[in-house]
Amino acid sequence: MEATPRFPSLDVIRGVAVMGILLANIVAFGLPEAAYFSPLAWGGSELPEKTAWFLNFVFVEGRFRGLFSFLFGASMLLVIERADAAGENGAELHLRRMFWLFVFGCIHLYLFWWGDILAHYALVGVLALFFGRQSTRTLVLLSLALLVVALLLNAATASALFAAAARATAGDVALWKGFASAFGVPPRAELLEQIAAMRGSFGAAAAWRWNHALDPLTFLPIGGAETLGAMLLGMAALRTGFVTGEWSRHAYARVALVCVPLSLIGYAAIGSHTMATGFDQRYVYLGSLVVSEPFRTIGYVGYAALVILLLRPDGALSTRIGAAGRMAFSNYLGTTLLMDLVFAGWGLGLFGVIGRTWLYAIVPLVWAIMLVWSPAWLARYRYGPLEWLWRSVVRGRPAALRR
C-alpha cells in the first residue's frame, strides 16, 4: 500500500531487504527443505559447499528476514497514521490489508513455495495493531521482552531435542526424526519424495506443499514472538526517525560500527561451532534459532544503519534499489515465479540438481532483473502490479495505476 510523500531511506532499505532475502532463500528454492540449515542434507557436503553455507550464515542468515519484519512494522504504522490523518479509520484499513495479505500468502505458500512469510506477517500484523499507540520507549521494551520470550521458547525446544538424542523411547525417536527432517539429514526416501514432487507437475508440487508445509496457524506460536518483536522495534524506529533518515550521519555510523561487526563475529563463532560438531542437528538448531537470536536483532539494525549511511538519494544505484523497494511485494512474489521457472517441473525442472555453491550464481541475475524492471515499471505506473492489486482489493475498487 503506497503512501506519499515517500521516504527514500525506507524504500532503499526495503529494496536491500528484498534483494538480500533471496540470498537467504535461494537454497530453499533449489534444494530440499532440510538443506536450508544443513549442507549434509543435499546439494553437496564438500569444502566448497560448507564454505558457501558458512559465508551465508555469517553475512545473511536471519538478518534480512529480520530486516523485512522490522520494515513491515514501520510501514504498517506509517500507513495507519496517514490513514487516520486523512480522516479514515486506520485500524480498519490495516485489518483489511492483513486479510488480503493472508490470502495472497496462502496462495503463495500452497501453490508456489513452502517458505512463504506473507501469511505469517498478516497474522502477526493483526497482533501488532494492538501496540500501535504505545510510546517509543514501551515499543522498544516490549520488543526486547519478546526477543527474550523467543529465545526461551527456542531454548526449551533445544533442551527437548538434546534430551531426545539418546532415542531411548518411542517419543524420543519420533522427536529426533522430526527434527532431522528440518535441521539434520532426513531419510533418503523422504528427500527423494520431495524432489520428485517438485520436479513433477504443478499439482504434484502443490499436493506436497499441502501435506508437508508448515501452515501459518501452526507456525504462529513458533515464530510469532520474534516476528512481533521485530515489527514493534520497526514501529519505534519509525517514531524516532531512524528508518526515515532523520538521524545524524554520526549516529548512523556509530550504530553500524557497533552492531554490524558484533553480529558478524557472533554468527562466525556460532557457524564455526556448528561446523565443528559435524552439523549435528542439535547444534544446528541451537545455533540457528537460539544462540543467534540476539545477534540477529543487532545485525539487522546495524544493516539498516549501514544502508542509510551508503544511501545517495540522487545516485543511480540508490534510485534503482529504492524502486525495487517500492515494489517489494511484486519483487518478492515475482522472485518465486522466476525460481519456479528454473526449479519446478513445469519449468526447467532443476530442483535438487544444482549444488549449493552454484545456486548463489543465480542471485545476481535476479538482482539485475529487479534493478532494471522496477524503475522502468514505476516510470509509467504509480504502483508495482501486485501493490496495485493489493491496494485495489483492500479499497474495493481499482486504484488508478497509470501516472
Side-chain angles (χ1 to χ4, degrees), residues 363-379:
V363 175
L365 300 176
V366 180
W367 285 353
I369 293 171
M370 285 187 193
L371 295 179
V372 170
W373 97 284
S374 298
W377 179 276
L378 290 175

Side-chain angles (χ1 to χ4, degrees), residues 46-64:
E46 299 302 317
L47 182 60
E49 289 79 27
K50 290 180 179 178
T51 301
W53 174 90
F54 180 77
L55 292 175
N56 188 76
F57 187 81
V58 172
F59 291 98
V60 177
E61 172 59 28
R63 268 61 57 87
F64 289 99

Side-chain angles (χ1 to χ4, degrees), residues 195-209:
I195 291 172
M198 296 303 107
R199 292 184 192 169
S201 67
F202 185 91
W208 185 92
R209 284 187 287 269

Side-chain angles (χ1 to χ4, degrees), residues 112-155:
F112 298 101
W113 185 49
W114 64 266
D116 170 77
I117 198 67
L118 299 179
H120 177 64
Y121 278 6
L123 295 176
V124 179
V126 172
L127 299 176
L129 175 64
F130 295 98
F131 302 95
R133 297 189 182 278
Q134 299 298 317
S135 68
T136 301
R137 175 184 172 84
T138 300
L139 288 171
V140 172
L141 292 176
L142 286 170
S143 175
L144 294 176
L146 286 164
L147 174 69
V148 173
V149 169
L151 194 154
L152 292 176
L153 288 174
N154 287 330

